Amino acid sequence: MAAVKVSVMAVVKSVMLVLENKAELCEVTDAVTKIINLLPKPEIHDQIASERLVNENNTEKEILPEHSSISTLEEEKKEFYIHHYSQFAEFLLEHCTTSESNDEKQQLYTNLLNTYFLNGIHSDSLVVLLCTIEQTGRSRKQDAVVELLESFLHQRKLVALLLNQCSVGKDWQPTDTSKLITLIVTLPDRMANCLQMNNREAFLPAQYFRELACDIWRVLQEVSACVRQQRDCRLTFLSELLGRLCSLGHGDSVFKIILPRLECESRHCFVWRRVSHTLFSRIPDRCLEAVLLHVVRLVSWRKAMAWLLGDLILTNGKVEHVVCSRFLLLRHFEQDSVLHNLCGYLADNPRWRDKLVKTFTSLLEVWGSQSSIKHTCYSQHLYLSRAILVCIGHLDDGDVGANKEERTLVDLGGVVIRDSCRLDAEDDASGASARREPGARDAPSRHDSSRDTEPQTRPYRRAAEVRVRHR
């Protein structure tokens, strides 16, 4: 191992010396070949670093650079990546982005930059490129680095980066995934701050996040193929990335592309359902609500919720809290599909159907609570009423029979409290009318019973009535 470290260090120092001193073309060519041979990607070594000779039968014969064995070559690649890759990348951007009078040497520098940053370790390449752009003012160097970053995105190198994070078994992968996720999510903001009026279309938020969503979908397709081949994959990085995107307000752009495709593939394929379950189960708890919000809004059918989430409501307490409490009791939504998806998910499987009954009881208690009636807005009360009617549509005779007397008392208590609030509101309105100045108009009461709720609740009441008639 010590010999490998010394050998790699000697190669790196000799190449840096050649490039720094602006040596002759032949010396630069030899230096470029040496450094490309150390790129820790076997496929790049096969395509670029090794020499190809044509023998007498016109067949290609590959001759590896001067290494004693394949294992030694892999050790040198690993050593180069761990201790030298990022530092040498910064050195290249410092010394190879300047203008050269020799066109051949300039072309050689360009090829070296493209090969090193686009075909090397993509995670470190992205970090170095972004940091260099932020630390460099308007100059030829910044323009060259921006060109490299734009090529990085156009050539779908983010797909390779994400795939590398999903692979298992490479012991030289980067460990600072949090920094990498931050750079990916904030790339449009960073480029806008650096380039300002000279920003490019590839870095605009709408374009960037749309392409990022497509890249994530390509990675999920590769992961699905790996699962079919019984190869291990890990989705923690993708889950954390999706969580950060949703937390920062970019989830709509991403899930509008990913979720319909994921729902379609999961309809008939259990492998895709397994991938989806794992993807959502790895999302950090702090980001779960933001992610599930997009899921319940964009899923086209209530049964698709179970395809995508599986039994997370049983294995993850945060999911249960968000689905049964946050989205039904504490928040309200205008879309009818949200209630149908939430209640349909709770009623979909007998294993967690008891969650629907408990949620229905909680809805009745909140609906009949005097404090809730007096201190929450009208739209929240309407949402609770709609949720109760949707839940009734999913309950069967056994669910209704359990604790029937208790629920009846809760319902009657809620009706009495609401009538009391209505009468109090009418008394307040009468007193205010007697004291108002001539010509003044009555202000609408918060709990005005004259408000017409018939059009808004008619579909839910019809569904409940049909359910009761069938019983």
Side-chain angles (χ1 to χ4, degrees):
M1 181 59 69
V4 171
K5 290 184 177 181
V6 172
S7 174
V8 173
M9 176 67 74
V11 171
V12 172
K13 285 187 175 181
S14 64
V15 172
M16 293 176 67
L17 186 63
V18 170
L19 297 178
E20 192 173 10
N21 293 333
K22 307 294 182 181
E24 297 296 328
L25 180 61
C26 59
E27 295 179 341
V28 173
T29 303
D30 293 338
V32 168
T33 303
K34 289 180 181 178
I35 208 63
I36 289 178
N37 287 337
L38 290 176
L39 287 179
K41 286 287 185 180
E43 63 270 22
I44 299 305
H45 177 272
D46 293 342
Q47 296 171 6
I48 299 174
S50 58
E51 298 181 18
R52 293 189 178 275
L53 300 179
V54 179
N55 60 13
E56 296 178 355
N57 297 326
N58 292 326
T59 58
E60 290 185 346
K61 180 180 179 181
E62 186 178 37
I63 299 189
L64 296 176
E66 299 174 357
H67 292 287
S68 58
S69 65
I70 298 296
S71 60
T72 303
L73 174 62
E74 291 302 321
E75 290 178 1
E76 291 184 353
K77 289 182 178 183
K78 180 179 176 181
E79 173 68 20
F80 177 76
Y81 164 68
I82 294 176
H83 296 102
H84 303 285
Y85 187 89
S86 297
Q87 293 83 353
F88 192 79
E90 296 172 358
F91 174 85
L92 286 180
L93 294 180
E94 183 67 29
H95 293 85
C96 296
T97 55
T98 57
S99 179
E100 291 287 339
S101 57
N102 190 324
D103 293 339
E104 293 184 5
K105 185 182 292 187
Q106 183 66 47
Q107 184 62 37
L108 188 61
Y109 284 165
T110 302
N111 293 338
L112 172 60
L113 290 173
N114 290 333
T115 302
Y116 194 91
F117 285 95
L118 302 183
N119 296 326
I121 297 297
H122 300 102
S123 54
D124 281 20
S125 296
L126 180 63
V127 172
V128 172
L129 290 174
L130 276 175
C131 292
T132 303
I133 292 173
E134 290 182 323
Q135 298 169 5
T136 306
R138 186 67 180 166
S139 61
R140 176 181 174 82
K141 176 182 176 181
Q142 188 188 66
D143 293 340
V145 180
V146 170
E147 290 284 351
L148 278 173
L149 182 58
E150 191 172 19
S151 299
F152 188 93
L153 299 179
H154 284 163
Q155 296 184 24
R156 301 289 183 186
K157 297 304 177 181
L158 275 179
V159 175
L161 187 154
L162 298 175
L163 276 175
N164 187 56
Q165 297 297 322
C166 294
S167 62
V168 176
K170 293 184 178 180
D171 54 356
W172 37 263
Q173 288 180 340
T175 55
D176 193 3
T177 57
S178 178
K179 179 181 179 181
L180 186 57
I181 290 175
T182 300
L183 290 177
I184 293 174
V185 174
T186 60
L187 187 146
D189 296 333
R190 294 170 181 266
M191 297 304 296
N193 291 335
C194 295
L195 303 182
Q196 298 181 358
M197 298 302 294
N198 297 313
N199 201 3
R200 307 194 181 187
E201 184 178 359
F203 307 134
L204 297 180
Q207 173 75 12
Y208 174 77
F209 288 113
R210 182 169 59 251
E211 296 299 324
L212 177 59
C214 294
D215 291 344
I216 293 175
W217 176 248
R218 289 184 176 90
V219 174
L220 289 176
Q221 289 178 312
E222 293 294 333
V223 169
S224 176
C226 290
V227 173
R228 287 188 178 90
Q229 299 170 8
Q230 298 183 352
R231 288 158 47 192
D232 292 334
C233 295
R234 52 186 177 191
L235 293 175
T236 304
F237 186 86
L238 280 185
S239 300
E240 293 180 359
L241 177 60
L242 289 175
R244 288 287 298 277
L245 287 169
C246 293
S247 298
L248 295 180
H250 305 300
D252 197 53
S253 303
V254 174
F255 273 101
K256 278 186 177 179
I257 294 176
I258 294 177
L259 204 61
R261 303 177 183 182
L262 191 59
E263 179 183 344
C264 180
E265 295 289 349
S266 302
R267 182 179 295 268
H268 303 293
C269 181
F270 288 95
V271 172
W272 273 103
R273 294 186 188 185
R274 179 183 173 188
V275 171
S276 178
H277 298 172
T278 306
L279 181 67
F280 286 108
S281 67
R282 299 289 189 270
I283 293 174
D285 287 349
R286 66 182 182 276
C287 308
L288 258 177
E289 183 174 352
V291 173
L292 292 177
L293 178 62
H294 294 287
V295 174
V296 298
R297 281 178 171 174
L298 297 175
V299 164
S300 62
W301 191 35
R302 59 183 177 83
K303 284 190 174 294
M305 290 280 293
W307 302 341
L308 300 177
L309 301 181
D311 61 350
L312 283 183
I313 196 168
L314 297 177
T315 59
N316 192 320
K318 179 70 173 180
V319 173
E320 180 183 359
H321 173 70
V322 171
V323 172
C324 299
S325 298
R326 293 286 299 174
F327 287 167
L328 289 174
L329 301 177
L330 303 178
R331 303 184 62 167
H332 61 277
F333 306 93
E334 296 296 331
Q335 303 97 320
D336 294 341
S337 60
V338 172
L339 281 174
H340 288 291
N341 288 334
L342 290 172
C343 297
Y345 174 55
L346 294 176
D348 183 73
N349 194 299
R351 294 170 56 199
W352 57 80
R353 189 176 178 83
D354 61 305
K355 307 290 183 184
L356 175 67
V357 180
K358 293 179 181 179
T359 301
F360 178 61
T361 303
S362 300
L363 285 169
L364 289 177
E365 291 175 353
V366 174
W367 182 82
S369 170
Q370 184 174 5
S371 175
S372 172
I373 294 173
K374 289 186 176 181
H375 299 292
T376 56
C377 62
Y378 166 78
S379 57
Q380 179 69 32
H381 284 298
L382 177 61
Y383 181 75
L384 287 173
S385 302
R386 291 159 55 197
I388 289 173
L389 293 174
V390 172
C391 280
I392 291 175
H394 290 284
L395 295 174
D396 56 23
D397 295 338
D399 299 329
V400 175
N403 301 324
K404 183 177 181 179
E405 293 80 5
E406 180 182 349
R407 292 199 190 94
T408 302
L409 292 176
V410 172
D411 292 346
L412 291 176
V415 172
V416 171
I417 292 173
R418 287 170 183 274
D419 285 342
S420 175
C421 291
R422 178 180 60 81
L423 293 175
D424 292 343
E426 289 178 353
D427 292 341
D428 293 342
S430 299
S433 177
R435 295 189 301 270
R436 73 178 185 274
E437 297 181 0
R441 295 183 177 181
D442 293 332
S445 174
R446 182 179 184 182
H447 300 284
D448 191 355
S449 61
S450 62
R451 183 175 300 187
D452 184 16
T453 61
E454 177 71 18
Q456 295 169 302
T457 59
R458 185 182 296 118
Y460 304 96
R461 292 195 293 119
R462 284 180 179 174
E465 290 170 0
V466 170
R467 184 70 178 172
V468 171
R469 284 200 299 270
H470 281 299
R471 289 182 187 140

